[in-house]
Amino acid sequence: MGRLVFLFASSLLLMVAARTVSAAVLEHSFYVQNLTVTRLCKRQVITAVNDSLPGPSLRVREGDKLIIHVFNMSPYKITIHWHGVSQLMSAWSDGPEMITQCAILPGNNYTYNYRITKQEGTLFWHAHSSFLRATVHGAIIIHPRARHSYPFPKPYREVPILLGEWWNANVVDVENQALAVGIGPNISNAYTINGWPGDLYPCSQNQMYKHRVEQGKTYLLRIINAAVNSHLFYKIANHNMTVVAVDARYTNPYVTDVVVISPGQTVDVLLTADQPVGSYYMTANNYASASGTAVGVPFNPSTTRGVIIYQGAPSSTTPLMPVVPAFNDTPTAHKFFTELTSLVGGPHWVPVPLNVDHNMFVTVGMGLDVCPPNVSCQGRPPVGAALSGNMNNVSFVLPTSLSLLQAFFFNVGGVYTTDFPANPPVQFNYTNPSINADLPLLFAPKRTSITKVKFNSTVEMVMQNTALIGVENHPMHLHGFDFHVLAQGFGNFNPTTDTLKYNLFNPQMRNTISVPVGGWAVIRFVANNPGAWFMHCHFDGHNSVGLSTAFIVENGPTPDTTLPPPPPDLPEC
């Protein structure tokens, strides 16, 4: 008997030791400061991390703990958000300004401390203050634990592909100018691949991302849309790609010749170099879904490109160019967004919760606001009014004196209200453009209104696009949780017929959903992470004018489900 007990104890210790060995503590320092770079014929000062664009990639394993010291040596206040990281019991490290922390002021620093839990694949980090996300961003690459493997053949190499935007201007000035005149921001001057605009832009012949491959080898491309305001199509001439994960959640293999990716989303694809030895362009161009005479939203119609070069290809080889999708190719976008499914039984797969505790029907879209003081409001839309985003007729306003999380933890009143409506206060024909003639519908009150839910409750949200001002595909990102995407469609959501379309077996999981242009999407998640969690449009131009809301998830019943106190170096407002 004693020998059995000894053997059992020894086995238990070995299991614990193996788990401990497979998880590491990784420490990094991020220095946020000015960097002078040359793009599109001019030298420009940008804000960057560790003197690089994109910033450094964080390579971790599932279970690892990250300690990241951020030193703000820039002239701007800043926070860093670890986009898609669940932050289980580490809400103080999530990073959105005035939601989980106040900004890190110039000359100050803050340490983010969190663990990667039950997530594998690709995520990314970015600034969560103003438009600084345009240049302050980088990849988070999450490998399986030691002695664990991918649920697909191991690739020969792994390649981060960060898609972005470039302005021939200070991006903070771009946002401030938009807010000063009450309209959307000026469009970017170029799209980029891994920080380079590609040879179709002026002075950019030698500013193109190049990746060399060996014929017959398979590569894992970790594609990230770090653009500020653009959905993007991504293609490689003459090559198919196999999607194996989105937003750090494994999918059933999905073969496609085009990836459609919204701001804030990631897509992992396997690329096999199975074509004749040569050179092949990769491209990214805008999926611009916005329409409606009230908006007349401009967009950048250009294309960025990099190149895949096979080993042995002559240097004189002219790369083949793919046929890029039309900017308004909604059928292609919708096909890609809706045909992905989860890998049932794969690593960290989570079944759909079947019982819903908190049902929400939420309209998302743009509207108008009375022109604020000291704002000219002389541009689009009607003169004398400013653009204003809203959800369920509430235009979200960030608190100013204390973050939401601090107010929740210290039970401070007057910072937010818990009266965010679970249904639209006024029902109307949401996707009919004629509603723009109903002026009262266009103006939404501005307030810090949130939803409070019980720990471990299941939330289902129908997000309904509206035609107010104009219809558009909205990339909605939820902090703190991955959610199941049960269904998506066009027109007005019909609870009688559209609930029959729910995929309750293997729906894709994401942290950012593209609500279809003139349509709807249904998500469901379990609120098992106490704290304050932002939900917002990942178009920074829309988020900055109120197209957002937040959830407060109450503490659970045990110490390990109770939010810990804030760290001592939490920035003050």
Side-chain angles (χ1 to χ4, degrees):
M1 181 65 182
R3 179 174 174 80
L4 287 176
V5 171
F6 173 77
L7 289 173
F8 174 77
S10 299
S11 300
L12 185 62
L13 285 172
L14 286 172
M15 290 171 60
V16 171
R19 185 172 181 85
T20 302
V21 168
S22 68
V25 177
L26 306 176
E27 196 163 1
H28 299 271
S29 292
F30 277 16
Y31 297 94
V32 184
Q33 56 193 349
N34 287 348
L35 174 69
T36 301
V37 297
T38 300
R39 297 288 189 276
L40 307 188
C41 313
K42 64 178 294 187
R43 286 170 61 82
Q44 184 167 311
V45 176
I46 64 171
T47 305
V49 172
N50 293 1
D51 292 330
S52 63
L53 176 67
S57 294
L58 298 176
R59 299 178 183 273
V60 304
R61 292 187 181 275
E62 190 275 323
D64 284 353
K65 184 176 183 179
L66 280 164
I67 299 174
I68 303 175
H69 310 285
V70 175
F71 299 90
N72 186 6
M73 303 162 66
S74 80
Y76 308 108
K77 63 178 183 176
I78 198 167
T79 65
I80 302 292
H81 170 50
W82 317 94
H83 185 108
V85 174
S86 63
Q87 298 292 353
L88 190 63
M89 303 305 299
S90 56
W92 300 106
S93 286
D94 191 41
E97 183 179 353
M98 301 314 300
I99 301 296
T100 60
Q101 67 169 100
C102 300
I104 308 168
L105 298 179
N108 290 11
N109 60 278
Y110 178 54
T111 297
Y112 294 90
N113 190 324
Y114 57 90
R115 189 177 297 279
I116 304 292
T117 305
K118 296 183 179 179
Q119 293 178 291
E120 293 178 20
T122 306
L123 298 172
F124 74 120
W125 57 265
H126 62 78
H128 215 294
S129 298
S130 70
F131 272 28
L132 289 172
R133 174 162 67 93
T135 55
V136 178
H137 60 253
I140 302 175
I141 296 170
I142 309 170
H143 294 106
R145 287 177 181 263
R147 295 183 290 279
H148 290 226
S149 61
Y150 295 123
F152 47 80
K154 184 179 180 180
Y156 177 63
R157 293 264 169 80
E158 300 185 11
V159 186
I161 301 289
L162 284 90
L163 308 178
E165 289 181 274
W166 176 266
W167 276 264
N168 278 333
N170 181 305
V171 292
V172 175
D173 293 342
V174 170
E175 181 185 33
N176 290 339
Q177 180 187 18
L179 295 174
V181 294
I183 62 174
N186 291 336
I187 63 173
S188 58
N189 296 97
Y191 302 114
T192 59
I193 299 175
N194 286 345
W196 298 109
D199 61 350
L200 292 177
Y201 295 102
C203 306
S204 302
Q205 188 65 35
N206 298 315
Q207 295 195 343
M208 180 167 61
Y209 172 70
K210 298 178 181 180
H211 179 64
R212 298 187 178 275
V213 299
E214 293 185 34
Q215 191 177 42
K217 301 290 189 182
T218 297
Y219 298 79
L220 178 62
L221 306 186
R222 297 178 175 274
I223 308 168
I224 298 166
N225 188 345
V228 174
N229 288 320
S230 297
H231 309 275
L232 295 167
F233 294 110
Y234 176 84
K235 295 193 73 173
I236 302 174
N238 286 24
H239 287 75
N240 282 331
M241 296 168 279
T242 301
V243 178
V244 292
V246 295
D247 292 3
R249 291 289 180 176
Y250 291 117
T251 65
N252 285 306
Y254 179 79
V255 179
T256 179
D257 69 341
V258 58
V259 166
V260 193
I261 185 166
S262 295
Q265 291 184 332
T266 70
V267 180
D268 291 359
V269 302
L270 294 175
L271 170 74
T272 299
D274 56 4
Q275 295 300 301
V277 170
S279 297
Y280 301 85
Y281 280 121
M282 63 173 71
T283 60
N285 66 297
N286 198 314
Y287 166 46
S289 62
S291 63
T293 56
V295 178
V297 176
F299 67 95
N300 185 338
S302 66
T303 298
T304 180
R305 63 186 185 185
V307 65
I308 297 284
I309 304 171
Y310 278 64
Q311 183 175 310
S315 58
S316 59
T317 301
T318 300
L320 294 178
M321 179 71 178
V323 177
V324 301
F327 74 89
N328 58 355
D329 191 352
T330 291
T332 292
H334 189 66
K335 181 177 188 292
F336 182 86
F337 285 140
T338 56
E339 291 190 351
L340 299 172
T341 53
S342 283
L343 183 64
V344 174
H348 316 302
W349 171 71
V350 179
V352 182
L354 299 181
N355 298 315
V356 177
D357 303 298
H358 194 84
N359 283 287
M360 303 179 73
F361 183 96
V362 180
T363 57
V364 296
M366 300 301 292
L368 298 178
D369 187 24
V370 175
C371 191
N374 303 317
V375 175
S376 64
C377 296
Q378 297 301 306
R380 303 176 316 274
V383 172
L387 279 177
S388 178
N390 70 83
M391 299 176 69
N392 269 0
N393 200 47
V394 176
S395 187
F396 188 79
V397 177
L398 289 171
T400 57
S401 60
L402 208 62
S403 73
L404 286 184
L405 188 59
Q406 288 171 296
F408 164 60
F409 184 85
F410 293 109
N411 196 27
V412 177
V415 176
Y416 61 85
T417 61
T418 56
D419 58 352
F420 181 82
N423 293 281
V426 178
Q427 295 185 1
F428 54 96
N429 189 350
Y430 305 111
T431 56
N432 188 333
S434 66
I435 59 179
N436 284 285
D438 190 348
L439 283 180
L441 284 178
L442 297 177
F443 291 84
K446 289 189 170 292
R447 62 179 191 262
T448 311
S449 176
I450 62 97
T451 300
K452 196 171 188 179
V453 296
K454 298 288 187 184
F455 177 82
N456 229 27
S457 60
T458 297
V459 179
E460 179 175 302
M461 179 185 290
V462 178
M463 284 182 280
Q464 173 68 62
N465 221 320
T466 73
L468 292 170
I469 303 300
V471 292
E472 188 171 7
N473 187 307
H474 293 292
M476 302 302 296
H477 171 51
L478 176 62
H479 291 227
F481 303 94
D482 290 336
F483 48 74
H484 293 92
V485 182
L486 301 187
Q488 303 173 67
F490 295 104
N492 295 331
F493 178 80
N494 185 327
T496 302
T497 57
D498 289 333
T499 52
L500 301 177
K501 303 173 185 176
Y502 284 10
N503 178 356
L504 300 176
F505 171 63
N506 65 349
Q508 62 183 288
M509 292 191 73
R510 282 196 174 272
N511 61 62
T512 304
I513 174 71
S514 241
V515 181
V517 54
W520 50 268
V522 184
I523 66 171
R524 189 180 291 181
F525 66 95
V526 177
N528 57 1
N529 194 3
W533 304 106
F534 204 26
M535 184 177 199
H536 62 101
C537 181
H538 223 260
F539 281 167
D540 275 7
H542 291 179
N543 174 42
S544 63
V545 292
L547 185 46
S548 47
T549 187
F551 289 89
I552 294 286
V553 178
E554 296 179 347
N555 286 316
T558 60
D560 62 348
T561 58
T562 300
L563 182 69
D569 64 338
L570 187 73
E572 296 182 359
C573 293

